[in-house]
Amino acid sequence: VQLQASGGGLVQAGGSLRLSCSPSGRIVRINTMAWYRQAPGKQRELVASISSDGNSYYEDSVKGRFTISRDNAKNTVFLQMNSLRPEDTADYYCNMDVRSTFGQSYRAYWGQGTQVTVSS
């Protein structure tokens, strides 16, 4: 299973971007989908997650600005980012808990990262 993330770019403060992430390979079921980010010199942090039944979590600094959603038919997760700030600048990584074979446990997979740069 490989995750492909896209949608990053350069945007001015106050602007918007929409990230998406889709897996390729054998998929039986996906449990939690999430977005993490890592700024230069900082640890990777959880930005938002969404469970298979749609329950979502947001890191405090993005509440009210970011929205995570998923399309279960396409196994795709999205992150709508509005009112972007320079401190949102980071590499954004998608993460999915995937069951690839019936009877096996879930395994976490990571996307390759997509860069988001917010200029002031």
Side-chain angles (χ1 to χ4, degrees):
V1 176
Q2 292 186 326
L3 306 187
Q4 182 67 42
S6 61
L10 172 64
V11 65
Q12 289 188 332
S16 298
L17 286 173
R18 179 177 169 88
L19 307 182
S20 63
C21 177
S22 298
S24 60
R26 179 176 172 82
I27 305 290
V28 172
R29 190 173 186 270
I30 301 176
N31 196 0
T32 301
M33 298 179 175
W35 288 95
Y36 288 73
R37 66 185 178 187
Q38 186 167 19
K42 295 188 177 181
Q43 289 188 334
R44 190 173 296 188
E45 65 175 357
L46 175 62
V47 176
S49 66
I50 185 166
S51 66
S52 58
D53 56 2
N55 291 318
S56 58
Y57 160 86
Y58 295 95
E59 191 269 329
D60 284 346
S61 70
V62 308
K63 286 180 180 177
R65 301 188 298 122
F66 291 10
T67 302
I68 190 169
S69 61
R70 61 190 286 168
D71 182 336
N72 289 326
K74 297 181 179 180
N75 291 324
T76 299
V77 63
F78 304 95
L79 186 68
Q80 178 67 43
M81 304 186 294
N82 299 327
S83 302
L84 282 161
R85 305 167 179 169
E87 54 264 39
D88 294 319
T89 295
D91 289 327
Y92 284 71
Y93 298 87
C94 57
N95 172 277
M96 296 185 182
D97 290 332
V98 178
R99 175 179 286 170
S100 300
T101 305
F102 286 104
Q104 282 194 347
S105 59
Y106 288 90
R107 175 184 168 184
Y109 291 88
W110 292 90
Q112 83 284 7
T114 183
Q115 188 173 48
V116 172
T117 303
V118 185
S119 63
S120 58

